[in-house]
Amino acid sequence: MFFVDTLEFEGLGNRSYLVGGPRAAVAVDPPRDVDQVIAAAAKRGVRIAYVAETHVHNDYITGGPELARITGASYLVPAAAHVSFARTPVADGDTVTVDEGLVLRALATPGHTPHHTSYVLKEDGRGAAAFTGGSLLIGTVGRPDLVEPRLTEELARAQHASAHRLADELDDEVPVLPTHGFGSFCSSSQAEGDATTIGRERTANDALTLDVDTFVAEMLAGLDDVPAYYAHMGPANAAGPAPVDLTPPGRADAGEIAARLAAGEWVVDLRSRTAFAEGHVAGSFNFEGDGKLATYLAWLIPWGKPVTLLADTPERIADAQRELARVGIDRPAAAATGDPAAWIREGERLASFPRARFADLAEVRGRGEEVVVLDVRRDSERAAGHVEGAVHVPVHELYGRLDEVPSGTVWVHCAGGMRAAIAASLLDAAGRAVVAVDDGFDAAREAGLTVTRP
């Protein structure tokens, strides 16, 4: 018998896996904070004999080199990947014995990257699970445009062929266990579902139901924005990331917070958007700790800019520090917790701004008041419909385009409220009068606002 333990990273939309038998296991696509993998192995009472990468990742920093170093495991990396560290190169068809009766076979599945490799676990000679990384995902495939623009169409065609290879070589009941596809921007499209099999994908995945030309055309037409920090992930992973340091950051008092803001550094408040709107340090930005913190903070922040974290509790700081380390934001400059009133100097006041619903916006417009409506969703979301007259600046571009927002009170919205809160905090820090629309976009039409298509 074998086991598969899934490690989920909801903030990044990824998964890692620990798979093995009674004595030994292999870790597939491990996160940078490898203590989680080590703890999972200890709970199972197994030795990590192998660490396997499906590809050089573009969306997070791997913990592979460090996990292999700590455990003494063989580090399996696709032979064609250009890396600068010692590893065990694996080519198509290579196998390793994980435990008695458990064999891991490398299967070349280029497409997400040119060197992408899936791993098929065989139990007593039969396919038992497929670890497909960024190849075959749940209802979709990994995007092919993260390596080199000139290779995008070629890699899209390779994705189609790789999906068919997996389907041709594996039985219908074999579970498909991808790394991406649970909200990750490495996925070419977002599909619903938490688990799948080869058989299910045969009937539901465009890569297996469409001819190659139609598949490629539709996938390329539907590709979404690429987070800016992705440009830093591949090079860091190819060089071999340094071990992560999760020791607590130094404590910042009100004077240090003010000084860091004055120096142009980022001060990030991790509290809920409701709490932030009610009272926050003027000039700070709101990235909710239980939202997609790593994705959006890493996407917006000028790379290398020092960041100070504010939160209700030390535990929230620790969670955020761990998540940010996964995308290369290694050490917060400082941190503060507790009552926001302690984060400002004597004589200063906390800043605030109102929150509202689309019904409130409709009421204001109905009275003839002139307000600016700012839509911070992505282009692909706006294409499905937008509030008539709304200015559009995607949230990941807003920090560099604040001067494009027309004068007046800005009612900012997204699809549900989280990104609107980020945008509202950016505008508030810039001295703009802002109202954060904390509402689902479907409520716009229900409130009587005119929703049109571009």
Side-chain angles (χ1 to χ4, degrees):
M1 292 293 293
F2 69 94
F3 70 86
V4 176
D5 288 341
T6 302
L7 286 73
E8 295 201 48
F9 307 98
E10 295 182 6
L12 295 175
N14 287 328
R15 290 178 176 177
S16 295
Y17 302 94
L18 182 73
V19 54
R23 290 169 295 278
V26 54
V28 180
D29 289 341
R32 192 173 185 200
D33 45 328
V34 298
D35 57 318
Q36 295 185 87
V37 187
I38 293 171
K43 186 176 181 179
R44 287 282 184 179
V46 298
R47 173 176 64 91
I48 298 176
Y50 297 95
V51 176
E53 301 281 13
T54 58
H55 60 294
V56 176
H57 301 282
N58 287 292
D59 64 329
Y60 70 92
I61 302 291
T62 181
E66 180 67 357
L67 183 59
R69 185 190 67 80
I70 292 173
T71 62
S74 296
Y75 189 25
L76 310 180
V77 177
H82 298 293
V83 296
S84 303
F85 49 81
R87 87 284 193 197
T88 300
V90 292
D92 186 46
D94 286 351
T95 61
V96 296
T97 299
V98 178
D99 206 335
E100 185 176 353
L102 291 179
V103 173
L104 196 70
R105 178 187 173 218
L107 199 69
T109 49
H112 186 47
T113 66
H115 60 266
H116 190 282
T117 300
S118 297
Y119 296 93
V120 176
L121 182 73
K122 291 192 172 185
E123 183 182 37
D124 297 327
R126 290 183 58 85
F131 300 91
T132 55
S135 182
L136 188 65
L137 311 184
I138 299 178
T140 184
V141 295
R143 61 193 300 167
D145 60 328
L146 302 179
V147 177
E148 159 61 54
R150 291 172 295 183
L151 294 178
T152 297
E153 182 173 346
E154 176 185 332
L155 290 177
R157 292 180 178 277
Q159 278 290 51
H160 188 271
S162 291
H164 278 266
R165 184 183 184 193
L166 287 163
D168 291 344
E169 295 199 14
L170 299 172
D171 295 333
D172 279 353
E173 65 270 18
V174 173
V176 174
L177 302 171
T179 300
H180 304 314
F182 309 95
S184 168
F185 281 86
C186 270
S187 178
S188 62
S189 63
Q190 298 304 321
E192 296 182 359
D194 189 58
T196 192
T197 61
I198 289 291
R200 187 176 300 173
E201 293 308 302
R202 287 188 206 278
T203 61
N205 196 305
D206 284 351
L208 297 172
T209 60
L210 300 177
D211 67 85
V212 63
D213 290 334
T214 303
F215 167 76
V216 169
E218 291 189 1
M219 179 170 65
L220 297 185
L223 291 174
D224 217 328
D225 300 304
V226 178
Y229 70 91
Y230 276 26
H232 305 281
M233 301 297 98
N237 286 324
V244 67
D245 179 3
L246 295 177
T247 56
R251 180 181 176 275
D253 60 16
E256 182 175 351
I257 292 170
R260 291 190 176 279
L261 283 169
E265 298 182 10
W266 277 35
V267 173
V268 171
D269 191 325
L270 303 169
R271 294 176 302 147
S272 73
R273 55 186 182 261
T274 302
F276 183 87
E278 289 175 352
H280 57 270
V281 177
S284 63
F285 303 141
N286 183 214
F287 290 80
E288 291 181 305
D290 57 0
K292 282 186 166 290
L293 170 65
T295 294
Y296 283 103
L297 179 53
W299 198 340
L300 272 70
I301 192 170
W303 200 249
K305 177 81 73 174
V307 59
T308 293
L309 301 177
L310 310 178
D312 305 270
T313 66
E315 291 76 19
R316 175 66 77 190
I317 296 290
D319 289 345
Q321 183 177 353
R322 179 179 290 271
E323 186 169 352
L324 292 175
R326 294 173 186 150
V327 293
I329 301 177
D330 282 0
R331 294 291 302 161
T337 58
D339 186 345
W343 302 343
I344 55 175
R345 294 170 297 188
E346 187 175 353
E348 294 179 334
R349 299 179 61 182
L350 293 171
S352 64
F353 53 76
R355 296 164 55 248
R357 302 287 186 181
F358 278 110
D360 301 312
L361 175 58
E363 182 179 344
V364 168
R365 277 189 161 184
R367 294 199 299 262
E369 295 184 31
E370 292 291 333
V371 297
V372 178
V373 179
L374 177 63
D375 181 348
V376 296
R377 297 174 302 158
R378 296 186 299 277
D379 291 344
S380 58
E381 296 172 285
R382 183 176 171 83
H386 66 272
V387 174
E388 187 176 48
V391 177
H392 180 228
V393 181
V395 69
H396 58 271
E397 298 177 8
L398 182 60
Y399 184 66
R401 298 176 58 188
L402 288 168
D403 59 352
E404 297 180 27
V405 180
S407 59
T409 299
V410 183
W411 288 61
V412 58
H413 79 84
C414 59
M418 180 192 73
R419 287 172 293 172
I422 296 172
S425 72
L426 297 176
L427 289 159
D428 177 73
R432 297 296 304 272
V434 63
V435 177
V437 178
D438 194 354
D439 209 351
F441 186 71
D442 289 344
R445 182 178 277 111
E446 296 170 4
L449 295 166
T450 301
V451 176
T452 62
R453 290 180 181 271

